[in-house]
Amino acid sequence: MSTTTAVPNLAKAMTATFATYCTADFLSNFLQHPTQKMDYGIFNKAIGREVTSNFWGTRTEHIIGVAACLALTDHASQSLFKSVFKKELCFAKSPAAFVAHTFLFIFSGVTLYCAGDAAFNPNHKDEERMATFKEETYNSYVGSNTAWFEPYVPVAVARVAGTAAGGSWVGSALLPATLAYSTVKGVGWNDWGYSGLNDLERKINGLEK
């Protein structure tokens, strides 16, 4: 494949992956916080909620930032596998390698996001940025270890709902990613129910700051 064809194709694939991960992160909030109100920053205006920060420290920062980093590391990991083993990464043919890929790209992607947040988020004090990054990297490691099941989700969907459902975008991409987001955030950051809320979320859910 020529460079003139490969680059646009890669950009298209990464854009689709980014969109899938953004959607999955948004949907995972309903699994983790089914009765709680979330802080979506600037988008709060559209749903009648208070805005204390347009982006930083909100669910929107997480949705966009993590999805961008995961799209990058997901495709980089697949390209690395292909360059080493001279074949496309496929769960059916190389299950162990695919599970390793799943942990690698999730851990590296989330950690990349944590690095960016620690470096640029104005809510962090300068003297605490490195400590924040180290803490978040540990959380990323703990959470990423829970996502081993992600490649098995399409298989389970196919057995329950048929091959077409297992191979669909929802069954093969969106649902696995949504469940993985839930466990990575939930276990790594204890982001469940009334835990893991920011100050505004605690306020709009009637909790003390």
Side-chain angles (χ1 to χ4, degrees), residues 66-82:
V66 173
C69 293
L70 287 180
L72 176 64
T73 57
D74 188 355
H75 286 275
S77 178
Q78 292 185 55
S79 296
L80 177 62
F81 179 92
K82 184 177 181 180

Side-chain angles (χ1 to χ4, degrees), residues 61-144:
E61 179 204 348
H62 191 278
I63 289 171
I64 295 175
V66 173
C69 293
L70 287 180
L72 176 64
T73 57
D74 188 355
H75 286 275
S77 178
Q78 292 185 55
S79 296
L80 177 62
F81 179 92
K82 184 177 181 180
S83 66
V84 172
F85 297 100
K86 309 305 179 185
K87 60 181 180 180
E88 297 288 345
L89 183 60
C90 174
F91 179 60
K93 297 179 180 179
S94 308
F98 202 99
V99 171
H101 152 75
T102 300
F103 170 80
L104 176 65
F105 94 80
I106 291 177
F107 173 65
S108 58
V110 175
T111 301
L112 180 61
Y113 164 77
C114 292
D117 177 74
F120 301 111
N121 190 335
N123 296 327
H124 300 311
K125 297 179 180 178
D126 289 342
E127 63 272 19
E128 297 176 355
R129 292 187 186 278
M130 182 53 69
T132 297
F133 171 63
K134 291 179 180 179
E135 179 182 355
E136 298 294 87
T137 298
Y138 174 75
N139 293 339
S140 174
Y141 173 76
V142 172
S144 297

Side-chain angles (χ1 to χ4, degrees), residues 156-189:
V157 172
R159 289 191 177 185
V160 172
T163 304
S168 67
W169 173 68
V170 173
S172 67
L174 182 60
L175 180 60
T178 300
L179 296 176
Y181 262 102
S182 295
T183 62
V184 172
K185 292 190 295 178
V187 176
W189 281 265

